[in-house]
Amino acid sequence: MATNTTTSGGELSGNVLLYKNPEPLNPENMKTLGLSTIEKPFMFASIAHAVPLSVTEFGPASMRFPIIFTGDEYQPVAIMSIRQDENLFLMDNGYFEMDIYVPAFIRRYPFVLAKEQGSDRLIVCVDRGAEAVQENGEIPLFVGNEPSEFARNAIEFCTNFENERVRTALFTDELKRLDLFELKTANFTPMNPDGSQGEMMKIAEYYGISEEKLGALSAEDLVALRDSGALQQIYAHLSSLQNWERLINRTLLKDGAAQAAEQAANA
């Protein structure tokens, strides 16, 4: 696929999570645009309960988030909340917690690569709906008719992101070929006020790698996965599933704090 920084009025196809109004990066209509410092820079991700990951991000992401696979293409995502439109790792000040890995999908915002409608060509875009994108912003997008150094770095980041996306697709294709995926569930059993266990609740249903199928692979296939680096990422995914319990505990703590604050306000 070709990548371009401008377009001649071409229309974009598809929608991208978190982006409101992505437009092609073009000096003709963005010459005076720039990015400015805003009070809560990551607040746009407050509704991101599931964020796409590249396979090379599995290691750091697995320390805090469950990594699961979704959809027909088995897209890997980091789960940041057990509820829709919530991010448990974003603080009220609009920053992520200090020890939290922030996925590249979020870090590239407000830039993105998008397909031109009717073509496989990828165009670098910027979200005109982003709060930080402003007229005469502190950091310009263009100097004259050329992308600024900041914009060039963003373009490079987006290009690398696309390369990682392709690598991730190859990774999941190999797992599909080996028939390693299975449907899994994350469950939660609440405690009743009297200390007894309540009825088990299903938190999520998702695709994950089957440890049984992995163990049944031939020595040749396991060596191939090891040598390609895929086996290390598989183990990172499997290890990350322990974080479902951490997410549930975070949710209970948040709900408990909200309930206590409400009771205090009504006292």
Side-chain angles (χ1 to χ4, degrees), residues 2 10 25 34 46 60 79 124 138 156 165 203 220 240 250 254 267:
L25 192 62
S46 63
I79 300 299
V124 180
E138 300 167 15
E156 182 180 4
R165 188 197 65 79
I203 299 299
E220 181 181 3
S240 78
R250 275 179 173 263
K254 180 178 180 179

Side-chain angles (χ1 to χ4, degrees), residues 69-133:
F69 298 84
T70 63
D72 295 338
E73 300 301 319
Y74 298 95
Q75 166 69 52
V77 298
I79 300 299
M80 296 187 167
S81 176
I82 61 175
R83 295 187 287 225
Q84 296 279 338
D85 300 330
E86 179 183 66
N87 192 321
L88 291 171
F89 299 92
L90 192 66
M91 299 183 292
D92 291 340
N93 64 4
Y95 286 88
F96 281 91
E97 296 174 9
M98 290 294 292
D99 62 342
I100 294 302
Y101 175 75
V102 181
F105 186 94
I106 291 175
R107 285 184 280 120
R108 69 175 177 172
Y109 188 83
F111 297 91
V112 65
L113 285 178
K115 275 188 180 182
E116 187 176 21
Q117 191 168 354
S119 168
D120 283 337
R121 186 173 67 151
L122 291 172
I123 303 171
V124 180
C125 300
V126 64
D127 188 1
R128 292 290 292 263
E131 184 182 355
V133 176

Side-chain angles (χ1 to χ4, degrees), residues 13 16 70 102 112 114 138 143 166 177 179 196 226 234 247:
S13 63
V16 185
T70 63
V102 181
V112 65
E138 300 167 15
V143 177
V166 172
R177 185 187 72 80
D179 189 30
S196 63
R226 181 200 66 191
I234 288 172
L247 278 187

Side-chain angles (χ1 to χ4, degrees), residues 141-154:
L141 296 181
F142 289 93
V143 177
N145 288 325
E146 296 298 323
S148 65
E149 181 180 1
F150 179 85
R152 291 198 303 272
N153 290 337

